[in-house]
């Protein structure tokens, strides 16, 4: 399977995904693309020998479809079977999502369905939750709402700040996403619960 990974920033999840696709893994990375030409993850991908592309979303303003048309030119050239959103911070239009539905995954830093959207860690702390975590799900037109493929939980500790909780969750993201991608690429869509 050919995997394209979309990023917006440092790409720490992308790095773990690329590093996991070796040996008898059923998938290989064919593209890392970003909506920000300055994304630190682009240099990391290039250093790992993965082709990269950048389509700056800013010149397109509110015209999401025009941005996605350019992004799709880079994607189509790579002929991916699977797209992984990894720290990708742009909302995608329904037509784009529907074109890839069933083959596009996302990682979200909360135990969905709780805390869709932003500031997930601050909201979990504010709510006094005993646990937090991350979710890998299939992308559907409704933000952070698709079928769950995997989750990992962490405790919320006394004195946690959004940053300390985010760091604890990120460690689990780096375990969960590669594990889910390997199973998904092999055709296994059973939900994975990591302890
Ligand atoms: C992190 O906050 C992570 O929780 C979310 O996207 C952000 C950046 O991730 N998935 P990455 O380091 O760019 O993969």
């Amino acid at each position: 399977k050919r995997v394209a990974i979309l990023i917006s920033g440092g790409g720490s999840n992308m790095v773990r995904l690329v590093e996991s696709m070796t040996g008898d893994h059923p998938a290989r990375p064919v593209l890392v693309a970003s909506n920000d030409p300055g994304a630190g993850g682009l240099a990391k991908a290039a250093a790992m020998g993965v082709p990269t592309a950048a389509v700056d979303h800013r010149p397109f303003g509110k015209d999401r479809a025009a941005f996605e048309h350019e992004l799709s030119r880079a994607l189509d050239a790579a002929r991916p079977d699977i797209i992984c959103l990894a720290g990708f911070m742009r909302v995608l239009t329904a037509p784009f999502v529907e074109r890839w539905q069933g083959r596009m995954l996302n990682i979200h830093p909360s135990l969905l369905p709780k805390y869709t959207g932003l500031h997930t860690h601050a909201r979990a702390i504010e709510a006094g939750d005993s646990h937090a975590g991350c979710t890998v799900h299939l992308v559907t037109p409704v933000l952070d709402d698709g079928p769950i493929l995997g989750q990992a939980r962490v405790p919320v500790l006394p004195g946690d700040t959004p940053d300390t909780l985010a760091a604890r969750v990120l460690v689990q993201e780096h375990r969960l996403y590669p594990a889910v991608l390997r199973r998904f690429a092999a055709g296994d869509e059973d939900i994975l619960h990591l302890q």
Side-chain angles (χ1 to χ4, degrees):
K1 296 277 192 225
R2 301 170 60 89
V3 174
I5 306 171
L6 302 187
I7 67 170
S8 295
S12 71
N13 277 290
M14 173 277 297
V15 168
R16 270 61 175 200
L17 290 173
V18 169
E19 288 174 339
S20 74
M21 289 185 259
T22 59
D24 67 348
H25 193 297
R28 287 290 182 273
V30 296
L31 179 70
V32 171
S34 179
N35 63 292
D36 178 356
L42 290 171
K44 297 174 190 171
M48 293 187 287
V50 182
T52 63
V55 179
D56 190 341
H57 69 272
R58 290 166 298 189
F60 297 97
K62 295 192 180 314
D63 190 346
R64 293 184 186 279
F67 162 68
E68 291 169 359
H69 181 74
E70 282 307 305
L71 179 62
S72 294
R73 286 158 62 98
L75 276 173
D76 291 347
R79 295 183 288 110
D81 303 300
I82 298 169
I83 296 179
C84 290
L85 307 181
F88 186 69
M89 302 305 281
R90 303 299 297 169
V91 171
L92 296 165
T93 64
F96 183 96
V97 171
E98 281 153 9
R99 175 164 176 229
W100 294 99
Q101 194 149 345
R103 301 184 291 155
M104 183 154 63
L105 283 61
N106 180 48
I107 189 157
H108 180 75
S110 81
L111 294 173
L112 291 175
K114 293 183 80 169
Y115 311 129
T116 60
L118 298 173
H119 312 302
T120 60
H121 306 303
R123 292 155 68 191
I125 292 168
E126 182 63 31
D129 293 353
S130 62
H131 288 79
C134 50
T135 303
V136 175
H137 63 95
L138 285 167
V139 176
T140 58
V142 177
L143 188 68
D144 300 332
D145 186 61
I148 290 174
L149 295 176
Q151 291 196 311
R153 288 159 57 92
V154 301
V156 179
L157 300 176
D160 258 336
T161 65
D163 284 349
T164 59
L165 182 53
R168 191 172 311 123
V169 170
L170 194 59
V171 170
Q172 298 308 317
E173 292 182 36
H174 294 164
R175 293 178 63 221
L176 180 68
Y177 215 168
V180 169
L181 175 60
R182 187 184 183 102
R183 293 155 61 102
F184 185 76
D188 175 355
E189 296 194 18
D190 289 346
I191 297 182
L192 175 63
H193 291 289
L194 280 193
Q195 293 313 323

